[in-house]
Amino acid sequence: MTHYIYLVRHGEHQDAEHGLEDGPLSPRGRRQAERIADRLSPIPFDAVWHSPLVRAAETARLVAQRLPSLKPQPSALLFDCVPTGMTEDAPPVFEPFFGSITEAEVEAGRAQMEDATSEFLVRKKGEVHELLITHNSVIAWFVREALQAPAWRWMTLNQANCGLTVLAQKSNRPWTLVYHNDLAHLPFELRTGLPEIPLV
C-alpha cells in the first residue's frame, strides 16, 4: 500500500507579467488547469488541498469543475512563502535574492513549512492519494524534504505552471520522487512559469 502526494503548481495568472503577486488566472492559465484536470482524472483522490491565494484557489476550482467528485479545501499551510534565509552552505549567487526578503518573512516561511511537512509528509494508512495545488517554493520544499537535501536546495527546484510532481511512500520506506515537473499533459504553448535562465 502506498501514500501518494500529487503536487501541482497553480496556473498562470493574469497579473504575473505586471509583477503583481496574485490575481485570477489568465486565459492560458485556465487552459493549463483544464489540462492538469484531464491528466489527473483517473486518480481516486482521498483529499484535495489548495493555497488560499487567488491563483491557486481558481486552479483548484477549475480542476474540480472537470472532476466533480473532488471537494478542494483551502489550507494556510500551502501559502506561497520563503522557506529559508541565506544559509552558510548556500552558494553566494543566491545572496541578491535574499537581500529583498525580511527576517520576518523568512521566520514565517520556515514555521509554515515545518507545519506543512508535519501535516502532509506523514505516512497515512492504506492506499492514499492526495492532491495539493500550491506554489513553486512550497513544492520545491516538499521535494527537498523528501530527498533530505540541504535546506538551500529548494532554490534550485523549479516547477512550471500546472506542472505535476508526485511523491510516494510505501510502508516502512522513505519518500521517493516519482515525477518532478512533468509537463506531458501541456503542449508547448501552455508551458509557462519556469525561469528563462537557471539560477545556478
Side-chain angles (χ1 to χ4, degrees):
M1 305 295 270
T2 306
H3 179 190
Y4 294 95
I5 298 178
Y6 303 78
L7 297 158
V8 172
R9 187 182 179 191
H10 59 80
E12 178 188 71
H13 63 286
Q14 291 181 2
D15 298 319
E17 63 185 29
H18 304 297
L20 300 179
E21 294 184 358
D22 200 18
L25 297 185
S26 67
R28 184 161 53 183
R30 291 193 291 273
R31 291 171 61 202
Q32 292 166 342
E34 291 168 353
R35 290 297 185 103
I36 190 64
D38 292 342
R39 173 84 182 271
L40 297 174
S41 61
I43 300 168
F45 287 109
D46 298 286
V48 181
W49 303 92
H50 65 85
S51 161
L53 291 176
V54 173
R55 57 194 188 273
E58 186 173 347
T59 301
R61 181 178 58 78
L62 288 169
V63 169
Q65 283 181 356
R66 292 177 93 87
L67 303 173
S69 64
L70 301 186
K71 305 297 181 190
Q73 299 294 320
S75 171
L77 297 178
L78 299 177
F79 266 120
D80 200 5
C81 68
V82 177
T84 66
M86 187 69 183
T87 60
E88 290 184 1
D89 56 341
V93 69
F94 295 121
E95 288 180 2
F97 170 81
F98 288 109
S100 63
I101 306 298
T102 68
E103 188 60 32
E105 289 174 311
V106 171
E107 286 302 316
R110 182 181 291 118
Q112 175 188 319
M113 294 318 300
E114 286 178 1
D115 290 344
T117 52
S118 296
E119 176 71 22
F120 295 111
L121 287 183
V122 176
R123 179 71 172 93
K124 297 181 173 67
K125 293 182 179 179
E127 188 84 3
V128 179
H129 298 267
E130 295 181 304
L131 171 60
L132 278 57
I133 299 173
T134 181
H135 305 277
N136 188 57
S137 61
V138 176
I139 296 171
W141 187 260
F142 280 151
V143 172
R144 184 222 60 81
E145 183 73 17
L147 298 178
Q148 291 296 287
W152 63 269
R153 276 293 183 177
W154 72 272
M155 292 285 292
T156 67
L157 297 165
N158 291 291
Q159 289 68 224
N161 294 119
C162 286
L164 175 62
T165 294
V166 181
L167 302 175
Q169 187 182 49
K170 294 181 180 295
S171 298
N172 302 315
R173 295 188 184 184
W175 286 98
T176 59
L177 180 61
V178 180
Y179 297 118
H180 179 252
N181 194 40
D182 190 314
L183 305 178
H185 52 286
L186 296 176
F188 180 78
E189 66 271 14
L190 294 185
R191 297 182 181 186
T192 63
L194 288 172
E196 294 183 9
I197 301 175
L199 293 172
V200 292

